[in-house]
Amino acid sequence: MEYVATLAFAKEQDRQDPLNKFREQFYFPQRKGKDAIYLCGNSLGLQPKNVKSAIEQELADWQQCAVEGYWAAKNPWLYYQQYCSKPLTAIMGASQQELTVMNTLTVNLHLMMLSFYRPTKQRFKVLMEAGAFPSDQYAVETQVRFHGFDPETAIVEVSPRAGEHLIRLEDILDIINKESDSLALVLFGGINYYTGQYFDIPAITAAAHQAGAYAGFDLAHVAGNIPVSLHNWDVDFAVWCSYKYLNGGPGAVGGAFVHEKYASDRGFLRLGGWWGNEESARFKMEKGFVPKKEAEGWQQSTAQVFNMVSLKASLELFEAAGIGALREKSQGLTNYLAFLLQQLKGINFEIITPKNCNERGAQLSLLFLEKGKEIHQQMTDAGIIVDWREPGVIRVSPAPMYNSYQDVFHFYEIIANIASNA
């Protein structure tokens, strides 16, 4: 498509957009009496308008049914996690048997590592990307120590080459091959939170398996952003949060994928809990943990209804929109954003996210070599909501469910005005 840096072009794109109607299903923060230009869905998604009535329904059922709400509520609480896992099948490319929602991302990462990181004296290393989100770094570091190994020797990081910002796939595959005799687990973020780089999950998974290691992924920045095929790609496990692109609300429930070859194996090691036990025996209150033959076998505790209800409401919108259509629009928005940013003069920054839209999601990371924080503050003062990440990146993320081409154009207008006054 030939892009044009005009408001008229942006309006015409929005007029033709079949997903534009979903914008009205969300609340936007207000700045000076009008909607903020919210391009921060990579950090926290907006509130869907259907969340309020969804919460009110559960409050009413709690009020009217009390404990009988577990089987008599409009949405019986006994099965609440399944109301979220079912619509996630299309988004994550997995069967419902392989998916569950529970806990939070880092808790789920620890639980999965207890199952999939079982080091030996010979095979004990974990491979991850340099600059992974700190929580992932901390989880891996402490898991390694828990098993009696030194993080300095047990954690292997893949870094960008000198002078580059992105990690080359051939470098990832090369290190997997070189470390194949000692590698226990490959654990990557699906998208690097800082650069916005989307990694080649099937290629990394295949290389890990060839080396005799498990392959797991933190999909915090992928879930609801890029459609994936976790089952077909033979990924062993994955975890994610739901408060970013999935719009589940602050601190919302996390999600987990376990490939069916492990999920269906009751003998596969995991920590037991009441809600992970076989349902037919759950209320017999007997000794002996018998896990469900599915990802729900990793669940620990009763479904957190009020921490799942917002996600359930948001996923209704995802089912209506379709993750494929959302991805197509997302690529259009980021391509237009990249085009507009290339028109800017008098402001010193670099887009460090891959130029190829198939190698990124909704996020473009703008690296400022000077005055980055000052420019971010000026954006904030002008009614733009984007986020800053040390040491020098402003992350801009037009989420296709509720952002428009006009949002992208107005962002460009404002940053162009900042540049002209710099």
Side-chain angles (χ1 to χ4, degrees), residues 40-87:
C40 207
N42 60 317
S43 191
L44 181 68
L46 293 181
Q47 181 189 140
K49 291 181 178 178
N50 63 348
V51 164
K52 184 177 180 181
S53 61
I55 292 175
E56 287 175 344
Q57 178 66 56
E58 303 309 334
L59 286 171
D61 287 339
W62 182 19
Q63 174 186 328
Q64 295 165 15
C65 301
V67 72
E68 293 179 340
Y70 278 96
W71 54 89
K74 180 180 179 181
N75 306 300
W77 303 332
L78 274 173
Y79 316 107
Y80 213 86
Q81 68 279 353
Q82 294 170 7
Y83 309 145
C84 296
S85 61
K86 185 177 181 181

Side-chain angles (χ1 to χ4, degrees), residues 24-342:
E24 299 304 316
Q25 301 300 316
F26 290 84
Y27 292 108
F28 281 76
Q30 298 297 295
R31 295 292 184 272
K32 299 178 182 178
K34 60 181 182 179
D35 289 350
I37 299 172
Y38 192 83
L39 300 172
C40 207
N42 60 317
S43 191
L44 181 68
L46 293 181
Q47 181 189 140
K49 291 181 178 178
N50 63 348
V51 164
K52 184 177 180 181
S53 61
I55 292 175
E56 287 175 344
Q57 178 66 56
E58 303 309 334
L59 286 171
D61 287 339
W62 182 19
Q63 174 186 328
Q64 295 165 15
C65 301
V67 72
E68 293 179 340
Y70 278 96
W71 54 89
K74 180 180 179 181
N75 306 300
W77 303 332
L78 274 173
Y79 316 107
Y80 213 86
Q81 68 279 353
Q82 294 170 7
Y83 309 145
C84 296
S85 61
K86 185 177 181 181
L88 282 170
T89 58
I91 295 171
M92 308 310 295
S95 69
Q96 195 169 1
Q97 178 193 18
E98 297 172 309
L99 295 171
T100 191
V101 293
M102 59 183 187
N103 310 312
T104 51
L105 188 156
T106 308
V107 172
N108 290 338
L109 180 55
H110 277 295
L111 290 174
M112 291 300 151
M113 287 190 72
L114 286 170
S115 291
F116 289 92
Y117 178 59
R118 291 182 255 171
T120 65
K121 288 183 179 180
Q122 171 64 32
R123 194 177 283 278
F124 62 94
K125 293 181 181 178
V126 181
L127 179 70
M128 61 193 305
E129 87 244 39
F133 193 76
S135 192
D136 288 8
Q137 295 184 50
Y138 304 154
V140 174
E141 174 195 337
T142 52
Q143 285 276 341
V144 163
R145 292 189 187 280
F146 176 79
H147 287 284
F149 292 92
D150 181 356
E152 290 295 320
T153 55
I155 300 174
V156 180
E157 294 186 330
V158 190
S159 301
R161 296 183 186 183
E164 298 182 358
H165 299 291
L166 305 174
I167 300 173
R168 297 192 186 193
L169 176 61
E170 58 261 39
D171 292 344
I172 299 171
L173 303 183
D174 184 55
I175 291 181
I176 291 174
N177 183 56
K178 287 179 179 177
E179 299 287 349
S180 60
D181 290 341
S182 59
L183 199 58
L185 173 66
V186 175
L187 180 65
F188 260 69
I191 290 178
N192 181 270
Y193 82 98
Y194 188 77
T195 66
Q197 179 182 8
Y198 174 47
F199 294 108
D200 190 332
I201 295 173
I204 293 170
T205 300
H209 291 167
Q210 182 68 30
Y214 288 117
F217 295 88
D218 173 351
L219 302 182
H221 286 268
V222 173
N225 181 8
I226 299 176
V228 291
S229 299
L230 298 181
H231 175 83
N232 289 341
W233 293 346
D234 207 24
V235 169
D236 295 313
F237 74 89
V239 293
W240 57 89
C241 58
S242 61
Y243 49 79
K244 300 181 187 294
Y245 296 103
L246 289 173
N247 313 311
V253 65
F257 163 87
V258 182
H259 197 281
E260 67 177 5
K261 60 190 170 186
Y262 310 112
S264 63
D265 180 3
R266 284 195 167 117
F268 195 77
L269 184 68
R270 90 241 10 227
L271 295 184
W274 194 47
W275 225 245
N277 199 66
E278 176 58 44
E279 284 180 8
S280 62
R282 181 182 291 160
F283 289 95
K284 292 181 179 179
M285 306 300 189
E286 296 174 341
K287 288 183 179 180
F289 176 57
V290 180
K292 294 183 181 180
K293 297 180 72 173
E294 50 202 81
E296 289 185 14
W298 271 260
Q299 291 179 167
Q300 302 289 300
S301 304
T302 308
Q304 299 165 285
V305 171
F306 287 100
N307 201 26
M308 295 181 178
V309 62
S310 299
L311 175 60
K312 175 180 175 294
S314 176
L315 288 172
E316 292 171 4
L317 300 177
F318 274 87
E319 286 189 295
I323 189 65
L326 288 166
R327 174 62 169 159
E328 184 178 355
K329 178 182 174 181
S330 177
Q331 291 180 320
L333 287 172
T334 55
N335 285 340
Y336 188 46
L337 175 59
F339 164 79
L340 292 173
L341 290 171
Q342 290 163 7

